[in-house]
Amino acid sequence: MRNFFAELKRRKVYRVAISYAVIAWVLIQIDTQVFPFFTATWVVKLIVLVAVLGFPVALVLSWIFDFTVEGIKRTGDAPSALATASIPEKSIAVLPFENLSDDQQNTYLADGIQDDILSNLAKIADLKVISRTSVRQYRGGARNLREIGTALGVAHILREPFAASVTGSGSTRS
């Protein structure tokens, strides 16, 4: 529920709701003072009805669209800065190592090295270490380390032949 309210704030729905309520209240106050002199009370009722029915429409539109300097843009997903804000600095994931030899039996060696590194890292009390089963899906293929780090909720990734900081400025040779 807390994330929902944070998303409402990020998409500026609160600002639109308050602005709409204030503007509608001012218009209704002006209408109730001016239109009775012209014996057009039905106009006041119509304006109140339009203001009430338009409120949820304004909230939905403020959820979907955002006013920017470039104009009206569709509001995208939450930026990754919000996602990385909750990632603990002392966290690491060890990605599966690849077997670069032609001998398929060496795959067990690569898995054993990963297990050994995970076991030694898990002994550090303050360090959050992602399990082998969680990183198994990232074996082989193209890897975007920032996306993997965000998906796993870690600040650092160990992969062959580099160790990379997801929140930092680059990779360091290990």
Side-chain angles (χ1 to χ4, degrees):
M1 194 66 163
R2 183 176 287 165
N3 290 339
F4 176 71
F5 291 119
E7 187 68 14
L8 285 176
K9 185 176 181 182
R10 185 185 75 81
R11 292 179 183 240
K12 300 176 183 138
V13 175
Y14 288 130
R15 185 182 300 172
V16 170
I18 292 170
S19 300
Y20 189 94
V22 168
I23 291 170
W25 181 79
V26 168
L27 286 175
I28 291 171
Q29 292 302 315
I30 291 171
D31 292 339
T32 56
Q33 296 300 316
V34 172
F35 283 113
F37 290 115
F38 300 110
T39 62
T41 57
W42 64 271
V43 175
V44 175
K45 292 177 185 177
L46 180 67
I47 290 175
V48 170
L49 182 66
V50 168
V52 169
L53 294 178
F55 186 72
V57 173
L59 293 181
V60 168
L61 289 176
S62 69
W63 177 270
I64 297 172
F65 297 105
D66 191 17
F67 291 101
T68 63
V69 178
E70 296 88 24
I72 298 174
K73 301 255 181 180
R74 189 169 174 92
T75 306
D77 292 332
S80 60
L82 291 177
T84 58
S86 63
I87 294 175
E89 181 61 31
K90 295 181 179 181
S91 58
I92 190 166
V94 180
L95 295 183
F97 297 134
E98 294 181 31
N99 180 14
L100 299 177
S101 71
D102 293 332
D103 188 9
Q104 291 301 318
Q105 291 182 354
N106 288 340
T107 304
Y108 297 115
L109 177 64
D111 291 342
I113 291 172
Q114 181 193 15
D115 285 341
D116 191 38
I117 292 171
L118 284 172
S119 297
N120 288 328
L121 289 173
K123 293 176 184 176
I124 302 171
D126 293 340
L127 186 64
K128 175 186 171 188
V129 181
I130 302 301
S131 70
R132 180 176 181 222
T133 57
S134 297
V135 298
R136 187 179 304 160
Q137 62 185 330
Y138 300 107
R139 178 183 296 274
R143 297 177 179 166
N144 183 335
L145 294 182
R146 288 203 189 275
E147 290 177 6
I148 293 172
T150 303
L152 294 173
V154 294
H156 305 283
I157 294 177
L158 176 68
R159 69 177 176 110
E160 46 140 346
F162 297 105
S165 173
V166 176
T167 58
S169 62
S171 301
T172 57
R173 171 99 39 204
S174 60

